[in-house]
């Protein structure tokens, strides 16, 4: 089953690539690696939730926002390589979590992105990861995800 079919089986649809919010491009390819720019949880041009984890959102809400970010990053990958079957491996995910000073569950929030990548790509979706708490993200987004993928 192709990654696109897995996405459909999950009841998801790959969105349009989120337009850059500033002076950058959605992806850069160098050799067999594709780097995505950070993806916030945009849905149809807007953020469904804003704010910080531990103040405005709970862990489950944050996980869902991380999942949306990862789906946006996968859409950017597809736009770069044409077919997701060309993704040999998700090498690394970096998940930024806008957090209250005492919030320490960034890894649990980041699991929303990591689990979706494994669902879409199987073993090739298992990756190294950083989950980082930050004071604020663009547009008051609660989560931002960037990926590095090896492609053929």
């Amino acid at each position: 089953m192709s990654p696109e079919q897995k996405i459909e089986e999950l009841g998801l649809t790959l969105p349009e690539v989120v337009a850059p919010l500033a002076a950058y491009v959605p992806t850069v390819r160098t050799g067999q690696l594709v780097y995505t720019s950070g993806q916030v949880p945009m849905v149809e041009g807007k953020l469904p939730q804003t704010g910080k984890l531990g103040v405005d959102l709970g862990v489950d809400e944050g996980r869902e926002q991380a999942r949306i970010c990862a789906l946006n990053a996968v859409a950017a990958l597809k736009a770069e390589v044409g077919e997701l079957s060309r993704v040999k491996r998700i090498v690394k995910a970096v998940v930024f979590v806008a957090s209250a000073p005492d919030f320490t569950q960034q890894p649990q929030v980041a699991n929303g992105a990591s689990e979706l990548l494994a669902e879409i790509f199987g073993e090739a979706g298992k990756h190294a990861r950083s989950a980082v708490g930050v004071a604020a993200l663009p547009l008051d987004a609660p989560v931002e995800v960037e990926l590095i993928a090896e492609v053929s």
Side-chain angles (χ1 to χ4, degrees):
M1 184 179 295
S2 74
E4 286 88 352
Q5 290 169 319
K6 289 179 186 174
I7 290 167
E8 187 176 322
E9 185 179 82
L10 291 168
L12 301 172
T13 303
L14 271 182
E16 294 293 318
V17 177
V18 175
L21 302 174
Y24 60 90
V25 293
T27 59
V28 170
R29 182 174 181 170
T30 181
Q32 291 187 295
L33 296 177
V34 175
Y35 293 74
T36 71
S37 292
Q39 299 291 315
V40 295
M42 287 284 195
V43 176
E44 298 178 2
K46 53 189 163 186
L47 294 173
Q49 292 188 286
T50 58
K52 293 183 178 28
L53 275 290
V55 176
D56 308 299
L57 292 90
V59 172
D60 289 339
E61 293 169 303
R63 285 171 48 88
E64 182 57 32
Q65 296 306 296
R67 193 172 169 89
I68 295 168
C69 293
L71 190 62
N72 288 341
V74 170
L77 276 175
K78 181 174 172 64
E80 179 67 34
V81 301
E83 293 184 16
L84 292 173
S85 59
R86 295 190 62 203
V87 174
K88 293 169 70 174
R89 172 160 211 104
I90 302 297
V91 177
K92 182 157 187 184
V94 180
V95 182
F96 300 95
V97 181
S99 306
D102 61 345
F103 185 80
T104 59
Q105 294 180 290
Q106 291 84 1
Q108 289 76 19
V109 170
N111 281 346
S114 295
E115 290 166 359
L116 179 66
L117 294 167
E119 290 172 23
I120 293 171
F121 296 104
E123 280 298 310
K126 294 181 180 176
H127 52 272
R129 184 183 83 190
S130 298
V132 182
V134 297
L137 289 168
L139 305 176
D140 198 26
V143 183
E144 182 173 340
V145 174
E146 62 181 51
L147 301 177
I148 302 170
E150 181 185 6
V151 299
S152 60

